[in-house]
């Protein structure tokens, strides 16, 4: 789990994965499509998350700037820990980066064990996106 402050509105994390050199416009369009498909708005995002090998990827950084949220990066072993919870694990992704999913895994890892999927992985030509949210505590 990260140190991101979640509240009743900003309780969603957008997980992103992309090939190196993905156009920022492509990733932003996918991110916007993911939010629309999930029925949430920009104000509902607490963070963006991805794999650490994309720490300097211009497209991911551009999406974070667009939504004005922090971006969190996780190494492949940490993302691989999320495999049992993935909706769409991929052996192809595992062969390329060492974990069975980036977008879904990163969204879950950013929130921790209280994460629940709002939107499983969706794809564009060169990228993936998924949205998880922290469950609201009943009390």
């Amino acid at each position: 789990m990260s140190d991101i402050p979640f509240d009743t509105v900003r309780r969603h994390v957008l997980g992103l994965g992309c090939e190196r050199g993905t156009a920022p416009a492509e990733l932003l369009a996918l991110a916007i499509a993911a939010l629309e498909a999930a029925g949430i708005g920009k104000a509902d995002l607490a963070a963006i998350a991805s794999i650490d090998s994309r720490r300097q990827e211009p497209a991911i950084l551009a999406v974070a700037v667009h939504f004005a949220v922090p971006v969190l990066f996780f190494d492949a072993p940490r993302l691989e820990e999320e495999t049992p919870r993935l909706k769409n694990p991929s052996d192809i992704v595992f062969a390329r980066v060492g974990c069975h999913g980036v977008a879904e895994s990163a969204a879950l890892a950013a929130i921790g064990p209280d994460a629940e999927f709002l939107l499983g992985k969706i794809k564009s030509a060169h990228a993936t996106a998924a949205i998880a949210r922290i469950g609201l505590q009943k009390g």
Side-chain angles (χ1 to χ4, degrees):
M1 185 165 150
S2 68
D3 292 332
I4 295 203
F6 294 103
D7 60 36
T8 57
V9 176
R10 296 178 74 85
R11 65 187 192 113
H12 302 86
V13 173
L14 173 63
L16 295 175
C18 67
E19 296 175 13
R20 290 195 191 283
T22 297
E26 177 184 341
L27 192 58
L28 180 57
L30 181 64
I32 290 169
L35 268 60
E36 289 175 358
I40 63 171
K42 178 178 179 176
D44 299 313
L45 278 184
I48 290 171
S50 191
I51 193 166
D52 64 354
S53 63
R54 298 300 183 264
R55 188 176 298 276
Q56 301 300 320
E57 193 63 38
I60 290 177
L61 300 176
V63 173
V65 168
H66 175 83
F67 290 118
V69 295
V71 59
L72 306 170
F73 296 97
F74 300 91
D75 63 20
R78 173 63 188 94
L79 295 181
E80 182 61 12
E81 292 174 19
E82 299 296 339
T83 299
R85 300 198 302 161
L86 300 184
K87 290 185 176 281
N88 301 287
S90 170
D91 291 334
I92 293 170
V93 173
F94 181 80
R96 289 183 182 164
V97 298
C99 59
H100 281 87
V102 173
E104 290 183 347
S105 295
L108 293 172
I111 294 173
D114 294 329
E116 56 187 36
F117 275 114
L118 185 59
L119 179 71
K121 178 174 70 177
I122 63 171
K123 301 178 187 181
S124 66
H126 306 285
T128 59
I131 298 174
R133 67 180 170 201
I134 191 164
L136 292 178
Q137 294 181 0
K138 298 179 175 59

